[in-house]
């Protein structure tokens, strides 16, 4: 058994931290401590941290904005890497952009608008890094980021060691709130990590893009409890159409009356599970189970989480 503290200080330098509360880095504000914590400020340090974890048999988890995860109260035995890589290169001639996976979606959309490049404005207001958005194929208003991905550069673990590979959108196998990376994650100890992505944007006038962004954010504010503590939509929509929307089903089954500790569902949008009053991660998970049972018993529909539970449960 290696001494992880000395090992990671040696590999990653003094910025590496220990016993850091994950709750400080996730939108739901729950979760215990991670044994090791490292902020990767660029793709090089992101790679270095993964290699260090791999070489020492340390489990790792890549945290983007932390907007779609529920870390357990027990915390994480291993290394949490907060991805702050933030380089962006636009190529106006082809209307493409190469973005580091840690780039914030809102920042990219704004910078692109300034260059008369649009396409992603439907995602404006979705809190996310590029990596997190591609991993979960983030979307809104029936569009998703996968439609704009040309290729991704990944760090992958192969039998003979770590490799950097480039894959196209077809390989990424995007589907509703999912991708190849999300599908393989539970099966692989060391799952692939997106380092950078090339996105195909669309030439449009800046004022047109800005007004679409404004329109979308207003719609979101009207329909979603953006001022409450949540991870966005907690469950996936189990089917197409309004009557198969998770929010509709939860509301119809009466889930908004459920409460566990400080966790409850928003009265504005039933698919937003909110941390109302210092809820624990366990409160949230128990409430989610109760709501799933309620919808299944009353309406015969099985809901599935869109959020991801992380750490030991
Ligand atoms: C108020 C609110 C509104 C929301 N509205 C929407 C919405 O309209 N549409 C929507 O789709 N989502 C929505 N969400 C959910 C959330 O914004 C998205 O799921 C977002 O894409 C998560 O990105 P993230 O960077 O925070 O990822 P995280 O939550 O940090 O991570 C999510 C998963 O992605 C993995 N991951 C992150 N980066 C990488 C990488 N570089 N390589 C490989 N895997 C990686 C993580 O390991 C984890 O498994 C909302 C959330 C909130 C809080």
């Amino acid at each position: 058994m290696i001494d992880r503290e000395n090992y990671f200080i040696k590999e990653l330098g003094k910025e590496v931290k220990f016993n850091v509360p994950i709750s400080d880095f996730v939108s739901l504000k729950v979760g215990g401590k991670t044994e090791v914590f490292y902020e990767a400020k660029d793709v090089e340090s992101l790679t270095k941290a993964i290699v260090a974890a791999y070489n020492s048999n340390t489990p790792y988890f890549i945290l983007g904005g932390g907007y779609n995860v529920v870390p357990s109260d027990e915390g994480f035995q291993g290394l949490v890497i907060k991805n702050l890589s933030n380089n962006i290169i636009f190529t106006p001639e082809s209307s493409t952009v190469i973005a580091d996976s840690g780039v914030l979606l809102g920042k990219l959309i704004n910078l692109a608008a300034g260059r008369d490049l649009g396409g992603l404005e439907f995602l404006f207001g979705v809190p996310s890094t590029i990596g997190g958005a591609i991993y979960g194929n983030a979307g809104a208003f029936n569009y998703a980021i996968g439609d704009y991905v040309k290729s991704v550069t990944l760090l992958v673990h192969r039998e003979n060691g770590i490799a950097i590979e480039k894959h196209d959108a077809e390989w990424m196998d995007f589907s509703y709130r999912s991708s190849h990376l999300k599908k393989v994650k539970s099966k692989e100890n060391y799952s692939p990590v997106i380092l950078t992505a090339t996105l195909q944007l669309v030439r449009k006038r800046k004022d047109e893009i800005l007004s679409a962004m404004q329109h979308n954010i207003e719609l979101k504010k009207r329909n979603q409890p953006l001022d409450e503590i949540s991870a966005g939509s907690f469950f996936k929509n189990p089917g197409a159409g309004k009557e198969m929307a998770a929010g509709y089903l939860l509301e119809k089954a009466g889930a908004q009356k459920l409460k566990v500790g400080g966790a409850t569902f928003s009265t504005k949008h039933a698919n937003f599970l909110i941390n109302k009053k210092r809820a624990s991660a366990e409160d949230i998970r128990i409430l989610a189970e109760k709501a799933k049972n309620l919808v299944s018993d009353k309406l015969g529909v099985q809901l599935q989480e869109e959020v991801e539970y992380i750490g030991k449960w």
Side-chain angles (χ1 to χ4, degrees):
M1 182 77 171
I2 62 155
D3 171 352
R4 280 194 178 149
E5 210 161 311
N6 280 329
Y7 172 79
F8 280 105
I9 290 173
K10 190 169 134 271
E11 294 297 315
L12 303 176
K14 292 234 164 63
E15 306 93 87
V16 69
K17 296 188 184 123
F18 303 91
N19 296 315
V20 172
I22 309 175
S23 52
D24 289 351
F25 298 92
V26 301
S27 60
L28 262 172
K29 300 288 166 221
V30 295
K33 292 178 177 172
T34 173
E35 194 185 353
V36 193
F37 180 79
Y38 179 67
E39 290 184 332
K41 303 217 166 55
D42 49 34
V43 166
E44 203 184 4
S45 40
L46 178 61
T47 306
K48 209 161 86 178
I50 297 165
V51 171
Y54 184 69
N55 287 342
S56 58
N57 255 327
T58 306
Y60 67 82
F61 186 84
I62 307 294
L63 197 58
Y67 294 110
N68 209 217
V69 290
V70 187
S72 99
D73 295 318
E74 303 271 310
F76 188 74
Q77 276 300 110
L79 167 68
V80 169
I81 306 167
K82 168 85 181 153
N83 184 8
L84 297 175
S85 60
N86 67 358
N87 202 33
I88 306 179
I89 304 168
F90 287 98
T91 308
E93 301 79 49
S94 57
S95 305
T96 53
V97 59
I98 304 174
D100 284 357
S101 54
V103 166
L104 294 174
L105 205 48
K107 175 179 165 183
L108 180 77
I109 296 169
N110 261 313
L111 287 175
R115 290 163 172 79
D116 291 317
L117 292 172
L120 293 179
E121 45 277 28
F122 67 94
L123 282 172
F124 193 63
V126 175
S128 186
T129 59
I130 292 295
I134 293 178
Y135 169 88
N137 196 18
F141 311 114
N142 292 323
Y143 297 97
I145 194 165
D147 303 329
Y148 294 83
V149 172
K150 267 177 80 96
S151 64
V152 287
T153 304
L154 302 175
L155 198 149
V156 293
H157 306 277
R158 298 293 179 210
E159 263 164 36
N160 51 354
I162 284 182
I164 291 182
E165 296 178 1
K166 194 170 172 180
H167 290 287
D168 62 12
E170 197 182 331
W171 184 93
M172 282 294 287
D173 194 19
F174 290 110
S175 55
Y176 167 62
R177 296 297 174 273
S178 191
S179 69
H180 173 68
L181 300 188
K182 195 163 178 178
K183 284 172 209 148
V184 297
K185 185 149 191 169
S186 54
K187 296 184 209 130
E188 290 186 5
N189 267 344
Y190 293 101
S191 39
V193 175
I194 304 165
L195 299 178
T196 65
T198 304
L199 304 173
Q200 180 66 60
L201 305 176
V202 180
R203 187 146 290 285
K204 276 189 193 175
R205 277 201 343 260
K206 180 181 172 185
D207 58 340
E208 210 185 309
I209 302 168
L210 293 180
S211 85
M213 284 159 62
Q214 186 63 28
H215 175 72
N216 292 341
I217 197 87
E218 273 162 21
L219 274 181
K220 261 184 163 288
K221 275 189 195 154
R222 205 176 309 150
N223 299 321
Q224 300 182 353
L226 299 185
D227 50 350
E228 301 198 86
I229 300 173
S230 80
S233 293
F234 202 87
F235 299 103
K236 292 185 187 181
N237 295 327
K242 184 177 166 272
E243 302 208 340
M244 284 304 268
Y248 174 85
L249 295 163
L250 287 157
E251 189 171 343
K252 195 167 173 202
Q256 283 154 310
K257 294 196 195 87
L258 298 174
K259 198 173 149 244
V260 176
T264 183
F265 288 94
S266 163
T267 50
K268 191 165 180 181
H269 191 312
N271 198 18
F272 277 64
L273 194 162
I274 55 172
N275 182 349
K276 185 98 182 156
K277 209 174 163 199
R278 276 175 279 129
S280 64
E282 202 186 354
D283 291 342
I284 285 170
R285 188 136 189 195
I286 294 172
L287 177 63
E289 282 308 316
K290 285 191 175 192
K292 275 160 77 173
N293 290 337
L294 188 71
V295 171
S296 159
D297 292 349
K298 288 210 165 169
L299 306 171
V301 181
Q302 197 56 51
L303 291 180
Q304 228 185 21
E305 278 85 346
E306 180 182 317
V307 300
E308 202 170 297
Y309 298 114
I310 60 177
K312 189 165 161 242
W313 287 86

